[in-house]
Amino acid sequence: MTMDLTRKSSGEKLDRRTFLAAGGSVLAAGVLLGSPGGGADEKNDGKKDGKKEEKKADPTGPHKLPPLPYSHDALEPSIDKMTMEIHHGKHHQAYVTNLNKALEAHPALAAKPLEDLLRECRKLPGAVLTAVQNHGGGHHNHSLFWTSLKPNGGGEPDSKGKLVEAMRHELGGFKRFQEVFTDAALKHFGSGWAWLAAHDGKVHVFATGNQDSPLMQNFSPLLGLDVWEHAYYLKYQNRRADYIAAWWKVVDWEEVERRYLKSLA
Ligand code: MN3
């Protein structure tokens, strides 16, 4: 099965043995994603904008598009309104819809929380594995993405908090973390994500291709940056570095810290 998760881009070493030995990582943001059947209120989406086609795209399956926790223009100027509308209402919705379609013939899998599906991804049969990896990963990654950002975010995490302590210990401090993460996001070739993720209390920076989730390797994702072109092309075109620099200004560090603490539980 495909294990091309981590093109690590930084000096950070990702030991494959660590992946395999990984045991009980807990995804912090699970609560935000909801479990199958208990989905978020997708009606918020599109309604405000009066776009009928978004209604049509509503999934019939267990997974739902979570509403944005802020308005489409709330992250301006870092992330523009139109990008948010398309990215959330179209791209994210498509991951949800396609995940539900793929699970139609698999009621037992459809009943599982997304986090479990992703963690156990490798055990799934071929066709559904690919769908879960791509669309399940896409759904999960984007759900984390929206909720790790906020208007007037940015800055640094609490200097006395456990997250910064872990960054100091594992990555050489916050500033160094930011450099390594930026580098991972900038140099990742093609579509994918840069991550800050935890495993056994330690924090790691790496990139994944396509929509692969750190959960697939038993890491708890804390902060992910979408470097697919659909995330920034309308405003930044080929200037990925400018997008990354602007994105740092809307990171919700309190949420990232919460996820880290949860991963320790
Ligand atoms: Mn995206």
Side-chain angles (χ1 to χ4, degrees):
M1 89 129 266
T2 52
M3 218 73 272
D4 63 89
L5 152 91
T6 31
R7 285 167 226 183
K8 23 184 190 187
S9 31
S10 61
E12 181 59 28
K13 283 207 178 67
L14 272 182
D15 180 353
R16 193 159 286 266
R17 202 163 40 79
T18 316
F19 289 153
L20 300 175
S25 321
V26 174
L27 174 67
V31 64
L32 296 164
L33 302 170
S35 51
D41 175 14
E42 79 278 18
K43 277 177 286 191
N44 281 3
D45 241 358
K47 206 174 182 183
K48 279 177 199 160
D49 305 300
K51 286 179 188 164
K52 278 189 180 157
E53 65 271 30
E54 294 201 358
K55 268 192 176 171
K56 201 172 123 198
D58 275 359
T60 53
H63 296 283
K64 307 284 182 195
L65 180 70
L68 282 180
Y70 36 70
S71 62
H72 287 113
D73 61 359
L75 302 179
E76 296 258 16
S78 290
I79 304 178
D80 61 289
K81 185 180 179 206
M82 189 184 284
T83 295
M84 288 298 287
E85 286 173 349
I86 297 171
H87 198 180
H88 178 257
K90 303 295 182 190
H91 290 275
H92 189 169
Q93 177 66 71
Y95 295 120
V96 173
T97 303
N98 289 324
L99 174 64
N100 285 328
K101 269 186 206 159
L103 295 176
E104 266 174 7
H106 304 273
L109 296 179
K112 288 193 174 196
L114 181 56
E115 294 77 17
D116 292 357
L117 276 181
L118 292 171
R119 280 198 202 92
E120 299 161 9
C121 188
R122 277 171 283 180
K123 297 178 199 159
L124 300 176
V128 73
L129 182 155
T130 304
V132 166
Q133 184 171 13
N134 292 339
H135 305 299
H139 175 28
H140 195 264
N141 292 344
H142 286 84
S143 299
L144 284 176
F145 187 65
W146 315 127
T147 50
S148 62
L149 304 176
K150 67 174 181 183
N152 304 311
E156 302 186 8
D158 178 4
S159 62
K160 291 179 184 130
K162 284 200 184 301
L163 177 61
V164 161
E165 191 183 310
M167 284 175 173
R168 258 184 235 121
H169 198 255
E170 312 296 331
L171 303 171
F174 177 75
K175 287 292 175 206
R176 181 64 190 140
F177 149 74
Q178 213 168 19
E179 288 168 11
V180 169
F181 187 102
T182 296
D183 198 53
L186 197 56
K187 291 183 181 162
H188 179 74
F189 183 77
S191 296
W193 292 72
W195 295 102
L196 171 68
H199 178 74
D200 283 345
K202 293 183 176 168
V203 289
H204 302 262
V205 172
F206 52 86
T208 58
N210 302 314
Q211 293 295 351
D212 284 3
S213 162
L215 286 171
M216 294 170 193
Q217 300 285 3
N218 262 316
F219 279 74
S220 299
L222 306 178
L223 177 66
L225 172 55
D226 189 343
V227 295
W228 284 57
E229 283 187 344
H230 70 224
Y232 64 90
Y233 204 83
L234 286 178
K235 182 175 167 89
Y236 297 97
Q237 293 85 48
N238 61 325
R239 303 186 309 278
R240 190 189 281 189
D242 292 352
Y243 161 64
I244 297 168
W247 173 83
W248 283 119
K249 296 176 187 168
V250 289
V251 171
D252 181 350
W253 283 112
E254 287 174 14
E255 173 59 22
V256 179
E257 176 101 36
R258 270 194 293 275
R259 290 175 188 175
Y260 178 62
L261 295 178
K262 232 176 174 179
S263 80
L264 300 175

